[in-house]
Amino acid sequence: MDACIPQDRAPRDFCVKFPEEIRHDSLAGQLWFGAECLAAGSIIMNRELESMAMRPLAKELTRSLEDVRGALRDQALRDLSTYTEKMRDALRHFDVLFAEFELSYVSAMVPVKSPREYYVQQEVTVLFCETVERALDCGYLTQDMIDDYEPALMFTIPRLAIV
């Protein structure tokens, strides 16, 4: 995929939300094993609802890999230096499905914040920053209080933000 569709890869920005211990080189292999098991009817231990929800995606992902394999076979019988549009389409489709499955599977296994949760967290952060800036301008807080990590600020900033 890196050689054939380097600019058309599915975005993987969500991976930054994964805990550090999850992000490693063998994650793709573990995900693929999980997809094959789910597609075959297995259930993730203590995650029955999530397993049932991911099963259609896992089946579509495994079918998509078969399409990629077929396209690769056709490509191998032709010119190896160029990539057909069929090959590109198969890889794009597989990449999108794999990225979707990656997010779903890891989210089922470990707590991962949703985009909405990140947005709300960002909004609260901006609100607190604006509150601190305004409190400094109005003289409610001093720069020394902020620099010294004054414990009273832990309670003051959220209260000021509410007001």
Side-chain angles (χ1 to χ4, degrees):
M1 286 190 282
D2 289 338
C4 183
I5 56 166
Q7 311 302 1
D8 295 335
R9 296 292 307 266
R12 297 274 193 310
D13 298 338
F14 57 83
C15 289
V16 299
K17 299 190 280 183
F18 295 170
E20 193 65 38
E21 64 271 7
I22 297 293
R23 290 185 271 166
H24 48 76
D25 293 337
S26 63
L27 178 61
Q30 291 174 347
L31 290 169
W32 183 248
F33 179 75
E36 286 183 326
C37 289
L38 284 170
S42 296
I43 294 175
I44 302 168
M45 189 184 314
N46 300 325
R47 304 262 196 268
E48 292 175 22
L49 293 176
E50 293 93 337
S51 297
M52 290 171 37
M54 282 188 284
R55 184 162 288 116
L57 179 59
K59 286 181 178 181
E60 189 176 352
L61 180 62
T62 55
R63 274 193 302 271
S64 176
L65 183 63
E66 289 304 317
D67 294 342
V68 169
R69 287 179 178 152
L72 282 170
R73 272 192 298 273
D74 292 346
Q75 184 74 32
L77 297 172
R78 294 191 176 93
D79 184 11
L80 295 176
S81 61
T82 60
Y83 299 104
T84 63
E85 197 56 38
K86 179 183 174 187
M87 171 72 127
R88 285 190 184 94
D89 289 342
L91 285 172
R92 279 187 212 105
H93 184 65
F94 175 78
D95 193 38
V96 167
L97 290 174
F98 194 80
E100 195 175 325
F101 183 79
E102 182 177 13
L103 178 58
S104 298
Y105 191 84
V106 173
S107 296
M109 301 310 245
V110 296
V112 175
K113 288 184 181 179
S114 69
R116 175 78 180 133
E117 289 170 316
Y118 269 103
Y119 177 76
V120 168
Q121 182 180 359
Q122 187 178 21
E123 288 291 312
V124 169
T125 302
V126 169
L127 175 65
F128 283 9
C129 289
E130 290 173 351
T131 300
V132 168
E133 186 177 331
R134 187 157 184 228
L136 284 170
D137 291 343
C138 294
Y140 300 140
L141 303 173
T142 65
Q143 189 63 46
D144 289 337
M145 291 171 77
I146 295 169
D147 293 343
D148 295 336
Y149 302 105
E150 182 67 37
L153 286 178
M154 300 292 181
F155 300 103
T156 305
I157 293 172
R159 290 177 181 162
L160 287 172
I162 291 170
V163 173

